[in-house]
Amino acid sequence: MRTPTRAGQWRAVRATAAAVVAAGVAFVGLGPATSAASSHREAPLVAADPAVDNTDLYAFVSPERAGYVTFIANWQPFEEPNGGPNFYPFATDAVYNINVDSDGDARADAVFRWTFQNVDKRGGNTFLYANGPVTSLDDENLLFRQTYTLESSFHGEPFKTRVKDAPVAPSRVGKATMPDYGKLRNDANKRLPGGWNVYAGQADDPFYLDLRVFDLLYGGDLSETGQDTLAGYNVNTIALQVPFSDVALKGDAKRNPVIGVWTTTERARTRVTGQTSPVTGDKVQVSRLGNPLVNEVVVPASLKDAFNSIDPSKDADIPAVVARVTDPELPKLIEAIYKIPAPATPRNDLVEIFLTGITTKANGPIKADLNSQLNNADVDPSKFRPSEMLRLNLSVPVTAQPNRLGVLAGDLQGFPNGRRLTDDVVDISIQAVEGAAQTGKLVDALATGDKVDANDNAFGAEFPYLALPNSDAVNKGGGTGGGAPAPAASASAQAANPQTTPSAFESGTGMTAVAVGTSALAAGLGTLMFIGWWRRRNAAGL
């Protein structure tokens, strides 16, 4: 692998961070009704099926274990801790996958597959999840629990069972029922042959941000910031730690250090809801996630379900995506709202970052090699396919003191070179889209970002790293709805009392007008972006 020069590193820093924002160019245009965090509730169909909804994917070199890489994949967003009596099991009629591409052909060279089974002792006797203190995973007081089977396939070979009937850490019912949840977590953390570590169970949602970005970019004046929207919520987590040699091309991470990662969920093609029978027969992909913020804020609503159903090998057949990446929408919206000039277009560097990874071998504008599979010595360039996935260079040394702004701040181990739990995706995006990646300077007016700079719970130093699931209620009472709305003043009353006449802002000639225009712009651009792909899809009979 070529080592980037200092100048090349900074060009990579600038362009990479800008490309991150390509995934977030439509924040405002989506409107408040589609509020999503990373990939929480991003598409109509999967929003109605939360057990199989991918929320986030993380991939990073294990800081405490040399030569190992960790993948963390989360499902089922917005798990309120008190959501009993059934709480939040994994779906038993679904397949959960972590996929790794090492040769750049946009197809999985390694697939890690989980299926789940219920052990339900409640029968007709009780509604309780547990009927007493639970001190171990096989405690008789734990009336409902799950197990999983983990299988793996390399290079298209038949799947091999790695572990069967392994315990899932249960949903955290509360402190009285589960007085030492840390012990339950530890008991569910399994070491497998080959040095693998695997964990499945509930955890604190590690993604942090203020989702009021959808309210006219934080209220139109940055007054709506500083609230971690996901604080207190949990997710279902699958974490896996494997040697570099299991995922690197030809098992050689020194010659071939770059991998691409994405997660998928599959269900049976014909499914009767409410049944918990194992997955058999033909399956279809219903959820997909690589980089954060792609499906929910780039893909228009009418095509979100279609995006969830395809694999990265088809991404190169969507040429209109390039136009959306090279001329992103968000800078225009910020200019309209905050009067900060948008950077000049076209942003050709974003194409390289977003679809190929950073490399000098794609004849792109960035003169550095960081996280493209084309940088692998044994890759066949003729088989390389541009595609959307989370790319990670395993050879970049672990940062002693990670910077939350990742590559934007010169920390080459950070997002978008993989994604660590501490990487601040939203602040990276806001700054980069405003040209900080090109000028080398943060935009002062937006320097504080969303004012959510870390997760509400600290991460651990060892696998599986995630904070324990929350047990206190998210809703502490005292809602913010403000009660019933006041009666609207009549037109004659407003004319008689000028103080009640709407201001320019309220009447739609200011910020509101921008919001209306944004909705129309987003709809138009979204349609143009995918029309070519949609025609190909119909012609192929998909």
Side-chain angles (χ1 to χ4, degrees):
M1 171 186 168
R2 291 182 55 183
T3 301
T5 64
R6 186 172 185 85
Q9 284 180 338
W10 183 240
R11 282 192 293 270
V13 166
R14 295 185 304 180
T16 302
V20 172
V21 186
V25 295
F27 274 158
V28 179
L30 290 175
T34 61
S35 49
S38 192
S39 190
H40 297 54
R41 296 177 52 79
E42 83 286 357
L45 287 179
V46 80
D49 195 3
V52 298
D53 185 359
N54 290 269
T55 66
D56 284 283
L57 170 63
Y58 302 85
F60 51 91
V61 174
S62 305
E64 86 290 9
R65 198 177 183 197
Y68 281 76
V69 59
T70 294
F71 307 117
I72 296 176
N74 296 330
W75 282 266
Q76 191 148 183
F78 296 106
E79 294 181 4
E80 214 287 341
N82 295 333
N86 294 303
F87 294 95
Y88 306 100
F90 287 92
T92 58
D93 57 348
V95 176
Y96 299 80
N97 303 299
I98 295 177
N99 309 280
V100 181
D101 172 27
S102 58
D103 60 10
D105 65 356
R107 298 185 182 277
D109 297 299
V111 181
F112 305 94
R113 181 171 76 184
W114 284 258
T115 52
F116 293 85
Q117 305 82 38
N118 291 343
V119 181
D120 193 346
K121 298 179 180 179
R122 293 173 296 183
N125 298 321
T126 181
F127 62 85
L128 293 171
Y129 191 89
N131 62 0
V134 175
T135 60
S136 67
L137 295 177
D138 58 359
D139 195 309
E140 63 180 9
N141 292 331
L142 184 60
L143 302 180
F144 179 89
R145 61 188 181 92
Q146 289 192 301
T147 63
Y148 66 86
T149 298
L150 168 59
E151 302 167 288
S152 63
S153 172
F154 297 97
H155 314 297
E157 297 174 352
F159 277 89
K160 174 183 176 181
T161 299
R162 309 302 297 232
V163 66
K164 185 177 177 62
D165 297 327
V168 176
S171 294
R172 191 175 187 180
V173 175
K175 298 173 183 177
T177 301
M178 298 174 179
D180 188 359
Y181 193 88
K183 180 180 183 302
L184 302 181
R185 154 77 68 83
N186 291 336
D187 290 346
N189 185 9
K190 295 300 181 183
R191 177 68 65 89
L192 305 182
W196 293 14
N197 273 346
V198 60
Y199 169 80
Q202 196 178 46
D204 166 67
D205 192 333
F207 191 48
Y208 58 92
L209 81 166
D210 193 324
L211 266 177
R212 290 176 293 182
V213 66
F214 292 102
D215 185 18
L216 205 62
L217 286 180
Y218 298 115
D221 58 2
L222 295 179
S223 62
E224 297 179 356
T225 57
Q227 173 183 302
D228 184 354
T229 306
L230 297 177
Y233 288 104
N234 299 322
V235 289
N236 282 357
T237 287
I238 291 174
L240 179 67
Q241 188 179 70
V242 299
F244 290 173
S245 57
D246 283 340
V247 293
L249 180 61
K250 295 187 176 181
D252 190 343
K254 292 183 178 180
R255 287 178 55 84
N256 306 299
V258 179
I259 59 174
V261 190
W262 70 100
T263 58
T264 54
T265 325
E266 300 172 351
R267 281 203 183 276
R269 184 176 296 276
T270 301
R271 174 178 175 242
V272 179
T273 59
Q275 291 187 347
T276 57
S277 57
V279 178
T280 58
D282 194 16
K283 297 181 292 294
V284 293
Q285 181 179 304
V286 295
S287 187
R288 167 189 169 188
L289 178 63
N291 286 286
L293 305 172
V294 173
N295 195 358
E296 61 273 61
V297 298
V298 174
V299 181
S302 62
L303 295 175
K304 289 179 180 293
D305 293 323
F307 179 86
N308 267 340
S309 71
I310 65 175
D311 64 74
S313 66
K314 295 182 174 64
D315 291 345
D317 298 324
I318 312 175
V321 169
V322 175
R324 190 66 179 263
V325 172
T326 57
D327 188 15
E329 179 183 358
L330 186 56
K332 300 173 185 177
L333 302 177
I334 293 177
E335 181 174 2
I337 296 172
Y338 293 113
K339 309 305 179 186
I340 299 173
T345 58
R347 304 285 290 274
N348 292 324
D349 53 337
L350 304 187
V351 177
E352 181 181 352
I353 306 301
F354 193 57
L355 295 175
T356 69
I358 303 173
T359 180
T360 60
K361 298 174 178 60
N363 298 318
I366 304 172
K367 306 308 178 185
D369 291 323
L370 181 61
N371 67 339
S372 171
Q373 292 100 323
L374 283 171
N375 298 330
N376 291 338
D378 296 319
V379 159
D380 182 351
S382 67
K383 296 181 179 180
F384 182 83
R385 294 275 292 174
S387 56
E388 192 281 309
M389 60 181 69
L390 184 64
R391 290 178 169 87
L392 171 65
N393 187 329
L394 300 171
S395 70
V396 176
V398 173
T399 307
Q401 294 183 337
N403 191 303
R404 67 182 180 86
L405 296 181
V407 173
L408 180 63
D411 181 355
L412 296 182
Q413 203 209 16
F415 182 71
N417 181 31
R419 182 184 178 190
R420 301 167 299 192
L421 294 170
T422 56
D423 289 337
D424 193 336
V425 175
V426 172
D427 279 10
I428 293 171
S429 302
I430 291 175
Q431 281 295 325
V433 77
E434 283 306 293
Q438 298 182 27
T439 64
K441 298 179 181 179
L442 296 180
V443 178
D444 291 338
L446 303 173
T448 58
D450 64 353
K451 294 184 180 179
V452 181
D453 297 338
N455 193 45
D456 55 316
N457 293 313
F459 301 121
E462 297 181 348
F463 182 89
Y465 309 103
L466 296 155
L468 297 179
N470 301 283
S471 60
D472 294 334
V474 174
N475 179 9
K476 303 293 186 180
T480 60
S490 66
S492 58
Q494 288 185 354
N497 185 0
Q499 291 182 342
T500 66
T501 302
S503 66
F505 178 88
E506 295 167 328
S507 64
T509 59
M511 299 297 186
T512 304
V514 172
V516 172
T518 294
S519 298
L521 179 61
L525 289 179
T527 300
L528 290 174
M529 185 175 71
F530 279 94
I531 189 169
W533 170 77
W534 189 250
R535 288 173 177 169
R536 288 183 176 85
R537 182 179 185 275
N538 289 339
L542 298 177

